[in-house]
């Protein structure tokens, strides 16, 4: 995964009023910290940040952060969002070493067709949507695939069934249930209930005839 360049501006003021003013200018308050770097308060342009992390790598996109003429290889972490508007209100930039593994949360994508489930009116119930992994920054996958082709009604797949790319270590417990094949839902008053009602009416009619 190649890195995307993003410029960070130093010298921002701290405090609630300064932070509100910064956000009104379309910027996100942030902190740079990590491998060989003392924590530095910075700000990034909100639109540029959103564009940088909207690609295939998502929030695990490698970011080359330009800070006062210095370049740092970073990952966006601890992203805070507004509870109503869902816009990013703060972000930490973790400086990483390209040669050392780091932890990351990676989304799980279902692949294949569970025809034994869907063909019988069943439901593919996904329970795990992301897993924790360790990998070198450039080897963090955009997503981890889970093949559901062999899933059956009443069957299940676990985190251990997720395909793990080379260079990646799965940290989430492999025994965790990831996907289940559920039987079709039977609604009250459906075909089975109607059939039972018709049979009961027929029995009642026979009893009256005999009487």
């Amino acid at each position: 995964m190649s890195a995307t360049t993003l410029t960070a501006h130093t010298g921002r003021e701290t405090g609630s009023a300064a932070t509100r003013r910064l956000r009104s200018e379309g910027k996100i308050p942030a902190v740079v910290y990590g491998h060989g770097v003392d924590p530095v308060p910075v700000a990034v342009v909100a639109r540029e940040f959103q564009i940088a992390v909207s690609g295939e790598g998502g929030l695990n996109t490698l970011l080359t952060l330009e800070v006062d003429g210095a370049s740092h290889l970073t990952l966006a972490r601890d992203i805070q969002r507004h509870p109503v508007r869902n816009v990013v209100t703060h972000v930490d930039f973790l400086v990483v070493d390209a040669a050392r593994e780091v932890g990351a949360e990676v989304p799980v994508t279902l692949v294949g067709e569970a025809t034994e489930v869907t063909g019988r009116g069943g439901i593919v119930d996904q329970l795990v949507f992301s897993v924790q992994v360790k990998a070198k920054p450039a080897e963090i996958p955009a997503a981890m695939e889970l093949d559901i082709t062999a899933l059956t009604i009443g069957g299940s797949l676990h985190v251990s069934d997720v395909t793990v790319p080379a260079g990646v270590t799965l940290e989430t417990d492999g025994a965790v249930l990831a996907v289940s094949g559920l039987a079709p839902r039977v609604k009250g008053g459906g075909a089975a209930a109607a059939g039972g009602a018709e049979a009961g009416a027929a029995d009642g009619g026979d009893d009256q005839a005999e009487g």
Side-chain angles (χ1 to χ4, degrees), residues 105-198:
E105 183 177 359
V106 177
V108 173
T109 301
L110 303 185
V111 297
E113 295 291 335
T115 54
E116 286 294 318
V117 177
T118 58
R120 296 169 58 188
I123 300 169
V124 176
D125 185 23
Q126 184 174 0
L127 304 170
V128 171
F129 294 88
S130 64
V131 291
Q132 295 291 331
V133 304
K134 272 192 175 181
K136 292 179 181 178
E139 295 178 350
I140 298 173
M144 306 274 278
E145 294 185 347
L146 177 55
D147 190 345
I148 61 172
T149 303
L151 186 66
T152 59
I153 289 179
S156 60
L157 297 170
H158 297 79
V159 167
S160 59
D161 296 307
V162 172
T163 300
V164 181
V168 177
T169 301
L170 186 62
E171 294 286 290
T172 301
D173 186 353
V176 173
L177 186 63
V179 180
S180 292
L182 304 182
R185 294 176 179 173
V186 179
K187 296 182 179 179
E198 290 173 1

Side-chain angles (χ1 to χ4, degrees), residues 56 163 207:
E56 182 184 7
T163 300
D207 291 343

Side-chain angles (χ1 to χ4, degrees), residues 27-152:
K27 296 178 181 178
I28 303 171
V31 175
V32 182
Y33 68 95
H35 182 73
V37 177
D38 292 330
V40 179
V42 298
V44 295
V45 176
R47 178 174 171 77
E48 293 177 358
F49 175 74
Q50 292 292 353
I51 292 173
V53 297
S54 63
E56 182 184 7
L59 296 179
N60 287 319
T61 298
L62 273 176
L63 300 171
T64 298
L65 203 65
E66 301 286 351
V67 184
D68 286 345
S71 296
H72 302 287
L73 188 64
T74 69
L75 290 167
R77 291 292 181 261
D78 194 21
I79 296 173
Q80 300 173 24
R81 295 181 181 273
H82 190 279
V84 177
R85 298 196 299 270
N86 199 36
V87 296
V88 176
T89 57
H90 190 276
V91 60
D92 289 354
F93 291 103
L94 174 65
V95 178
V96 296
D97 184 340
R100 294 186 179 182
E101 291 185 338
V102 294
E105 183 177 359
V106 177
V108 173
T109 301
L110 303 185
V111 297
E113 295 291 335
T115 54
E116 286 294 318
V117 177
T118 58
R120 296 169 58 188
I123 300 169
V124 176
D125 185 23
Q126 184 174 0
L127 304 170
V128 171
F129 294 88
S130 64
V131 291
Q132 295 291 331
V133 304
K134 272 192 175 181
K136 292 179 181 178
E139 295 178 350
I140 298 173
M144 306 274 278
E145 294 185 347
L146 177 55
D147 190 345
I148 61 172
T149 303
L151 186 66
T152 59

